[in-house]
Amino acid sequence: MTSSTPDLTLNYWNGRGLMEVPRLLLAISGKFPGADYTDGRNSAPPAGLEANLGRMPVLATQEGSVGQSVAINYYVAATNDLLGSTPLEAARILSVQAHVTEMMDCFRKIVPYGATPTEEDLSKWFDTGATDSSGPADGSRRPERFAQWWVGRIEASLDDAGYAVGSALSLADVVLYNCFAEVLLESERGEGFADWRAEPMCSLARTSKLLEAAPKLSGAIEKVKNHEGTKKWLGMRGVQGF
């Protein structure tokens, strides 16, 4: 199902965070702030946030509003032909999103959001832990599921056609790009913005090295990175608060 979205409003803070995936989905669909949707960037919570328990992010349309990033991502993907071509593909796309969410929950146990990462933190996340990437997962090493385990397992779950799921770009590819390749350029950073805050998992170099062993994951990311909509969006989004 496709839909025009001139009445769409994305309410969030002035940064990337939980609203960057919907913005990128819209850009890939050829839709940008202004004529196509309202990119509401707020310095204080606006009215009308009941759909997310008084918090942001909230997506608002003439039909109603929805909160929670997983639901917002679903809505934007489903209304812009970015949720696969069958119910099974849609389910698998949502599964990839859930895998990434789980992985980042594990990462944040080592590097809490907003905390300056130490070299010890990053070495633990990127260089140690379980590495079994096929067959039943080794439950005895559950507490040691760090970057290598997650990347290996996600890589094994992806399709071979150059996209994460199926034969076309989808929410799954965008989520992978957002997690593993989203970088804030110097021109997009406010004063005093630390490098580690602008890079995936606090280190672009370490993340890129990790992806060398994941050609399917890397291929899906490149599809998003090289899309004209992505390039246009990155060229216009401006300074971000985070």
Side-chain angles (χ1 to χ4, degrees), residues 18-92:
L18 299 176
M19 202 59 94
E20 196 62 12
V21 166
R23 294 180 188 127
L24 190 50
L25 289 168
L26 289 164
I28 286 171
S29 301
K31 298 172 182 178
F32 300 91
D36 300 308
Y37 72 96
T38 299
D39 189 11
R41 293 176 179 258
N42 303 277
S43 57
L49 302 181
E50 290 79 12
N52 198 16
L53 312 182
R55 307 165 299 173
M56 294 188 281
V58 165
L59 176 151
T61 74
Q62 292 179 355
E63 298 176 303
S65 299
V66 64
Q68 297 287 359
S69 58
V70 63
I72 293 170
N73 291 353
Y74 166 83
Y75 178 88
V76 176
T79 55
N80 287 281
D81 283 339
L82 291 168
L83 202 62
S85 59
T86 67
L88 180 59
E89 284 190 1
R92 292 185 58 222

Side-chain angles (χ1 to χ4, degrees), residues 8 34 52-53 59 61 70 86 91 112 123 152-153 156 163 172 199 208 213 224:
L8 187 69
N52 198 16
L53 312 182
L59 176 151
T61 74
V70 63
T86 67
S123 292
R153 287 288 175 172
Y163 300 93
E199 300 181 358
S208 298
V224 177

Side-chain angles (χ1 to χ4, degrees), residues 10 55 59 66 68 92 148 166-167 202 208 226 230 237-238:
L10 305 180
R55 307 165 299 173
L59 176 151
V66 64
Q68 297 287 359
R92 292 185 58 222
Q148 293 182 53
S167 57
C202 300
S208 298
N226 293 328
T230 302
R237 69 180 176 181

